[in-house]
Amino acid sequence: MNGPRRDSKWWGWGDPSISPELGAEALATLREQIGELRPSPRTGELEDFELPEPQPLPAGLIEAAGAESVFTAVEDRVRHATGGGYADLVRLRQGRLDAAPDAVVLPADADAVRRILDACAAEGVAVVPFGGGTSVVGGVEPLRGPHGRLISLDLAGLRGVEVDRRSLTARLGAGLRGPEAEAALAAEGVTLGHFPQSFEYATVGGFAATRSAGQASSGYGRFDALVSGVRLIAPGGELRTLETPHSAAGPALRELVVGSEGVLGVIPEVAVRLRPAPRRRRYEAWIAESFEAGAEIVRALAQGPGLPDVIRVSDEEETRTSLALSGPGGAAGKLFGGYLGLRRKRDGCLVVVGIEGEEDSVARRRALAVRELRRGGAAYLGQAAGRSWERGRFQGPYLRDTLMGMGAMVETLETAHTWSKLGALHRAVGAAIRDSLGAPGLVLCHLSHAYADGGSLYFTFISRARQGEEVEQWRAVKRAASEAIVAAGGTITHHHAVGRDHAPYMEAEVGRTGLDLLRAVKERLDPAGIMNPGKLLPEPG
């Protein structure tokens, strides 16, 4: 590559040509639920951006990287200074950042990564590995720790693809974006099947480093289940695991690397398990009588033979809001209204079901799913509504940009628990968010991933932004929700990772001994402490 990617909005999400607008009915729903919004337009352009002055890089580092691979333009530093969380976008839209990398370094291959890390360790330069920059938990924030200089190590140049069609495996370079990887695999008639909402811009290395989960992971598996082998280049040495189906040779070191979030070293490539590309994809929508009833249907599917690849249940508030924002005059809205009228009910919950594979497999699995859906009292809405969800599955972040411009605070968070405790977790986190908003707001939730023993909950909250205090307002809500999750015994993150935002809750997740073990591993692999400071591990004390 000639330079870092510049093909997305520097101040928001994704393709600059995509800017969804809300219709009159959607705007009326927002006003009714959260009150009048005061527009909050983006201020400033890149040429006006306020950034700290970059510190000069050591000559040894420039020599190791190659001067042609070092970039210090304002745009490149801005694009590598944040992820994609609400607080990140607030700062970008205001045209001012308190921290940025001194330079962006773009290695051409794994050997260059090794040379760069050796030079950074010798010179005490902090390194933030950077893939797609889609982290919503502060995972790529340029925190320097005790180091005076910091680079963003952009892995976009590592984009190799080697497919073993007989074994249904592949080696994929860390810098491949989701669509790039899928296009290369499709040419061989296979798929990874990993489609998180960040799919269009997130990278294979990021999927591995954060233990990502895709929207179809109930069928294809989370990314950690798809990894068959991994390579780690660390300041203290290199680790490569065998690419075998399974092994009983001690604790799985592969699992130590997957989810390490760049604090141990750099993942230059990942070996993954594949599936034959599906010949058919069937997406459809149903309506359950309540969120509890919908969750019970999913539990039965997850504990039986009929779990679809995609299974999502929106709670009552998310269902109402989704229909309003997408236009309830459409087919889904009319069918939903008819369902409520027949049952003389005010509420129902949208269920999205997606099944992929060979024709006969899709038919068999759908029959099993339909049996449980009908047994649980759900009503069929049809394929049009399901296809509508499939077409818009990556559009949420674009809509967030629109809402932020209107003056709204919009953010997401997620967690997971066992089936016995999922309902209590849903209620506790929802109540904590509502109580902490300090203004009228929408708190939406859906059950997003299912397992035999439990499921995950994905929350979205929308409220009026307190202009001038947006980050403080967001921080209060995030803290309240996180504390409610910990109190209920849920995981602090099901698939967004830990980053900076969730690090204070890691002791509740893994215990003090667990933290000590992780710190010991980091000390061995990164003795100078240069790798992604301030992420994953809370400050000792």
Side-chain angles (χ1 to χ4, degrees), residues 11 17 33 157 244 336 348 351 359 370 404 423 426 450 534:
W11 53 268
S17 69
Q33 296 295 323
T244 58
F336 180 71
V351 182
E359 288 280 353
V370 167
M404 287 183 68
H426 175 241

Side-chain angles (χ1 to χ4, degrees), residues 131-216:
T134 62
S135 172
V136 294
V137 293
V140 294
E141 185 165 337
L143 304 178
R144 297 172 185 247
H147 309 289
R149 290 163 293 191
L150 179 144
I151 64 166
S152 176
L153 191 66
D154 190 322
L155 303 175
L158 280 62
R159 297 161 70 182
V161 178
E162 298 177 27
V163 177
D164 180 347
R165 188 65 176 77
R166 178 175 175 81
S167 301
L168 282 180
T169 61
R171 285 188 191 176
L172 301 178
L176 287 163
R177 283 178 174 169
E180 293 170 338
E182 281 296 331
L185 296 175
E188 301 288 339
V190 292
T191 182
L192 190 56
H194 189 71
F195 301 103
Q197 192 174 66
S198 60
F199 169 75
E200 295 171 308
Y201 293 91
T203 61
V204 168
F207 295 156
T210 61
R211 285 190 180 272
S212 174
Q215 293 170 341

Side-chain angles (χ1 to χ4, degrees), residues 272-472:
V272 293
R273 301 180 175 97
L274 307 173
R275 299 268 190 95
R279 294 183 181 273
R280 187 176 183 202
R281 293 181 171 90
R282 181 185 173 106
Y283 284 79
E284 57 192 52
W286 294 68
I287 286 289
E289 294 182 350
S290 65
F291 186 63
E292 290 75 14
E296 192 61 16
I297 291 169
V298 176
R299 183 186 68 82
L301 289 169
Q303 293 177 348
L307 184 65
D309 298 296
V310 173
I311 184 75
R312 296 161 65 93
V313 183
S314 294
D315 68 7
E316 289 83 355
E317 191 161 4
E318 180 169 286
T319 298
R320 287 193 302 269
T321 302
S322 298
L323 289 172
L325 294 183
S326 61
K334 290 175 182 176
L335 287 166
F336 180 71
Y339 165 87
L340 297 181
L342 285 172
R343 287 159 177 77
R344 298 181 180 179
K345 290 171 59 66
R346 288 185 63 253
D347 295 310
C349 290
L350 183 66
V351 182
V352 174
V353 176
I355 302 175
E356 303 183 358
E358 297 293 321
E359 288 280 353
D360 57 347
S361 172
V362 169
R364 286 196 306 272
R365 293 171 63 207
R366 181 177 183 266
L368 293 169
V370 167
R371 183 181 67 186
E372 291 298 342
L373 285 156
R374 295 202 182 282
R375 184 180 292 169
Y380 183 57
L381 286 185
Q383 292 186 69
R387 287 194 297 266
S388 177
W389 175 86
E390 184 186 15
R391 286 193 300 270
R393 66 197 300 186
F394 306 128
Q395 296 302 302
Y398 290 103
L399 182 58
R400 179 181 59 177
D401 287 349
T402 297
L403 291 168
M404 287 183 68
M406 295 168 56
M409 172 177 66
V410 189
E411 183 63 302
T412 62
L413 56 90
E414 37 71 55
T415 181
H417 218 325
T418 59
W419 291 115
S420 296
K421 298 178 180 178
L422 198 67
L425 181 66
H426 175 241
R427 293 187 292 273
V429 177
I433 294 173
R434 290 184 186 91
D435 291 345
S436 63
L437 283 174
L442 289 164
V443 181
L444 321 175
C445 183
H446 61 264
L447 194 164
S448 61
H449 301 79
Y451 310 91
D453 54 342
S456 69
L457 299 174
Y458 192 98
F459 289 88
T460 302
F461 54 89
I462 308 173
S463 185
R464 293 195 305 272
R466 294 204 305 266
Q467 294 187 12
E469 301 177 353
E470 293 93 342
V471 174
E472 293 78 10

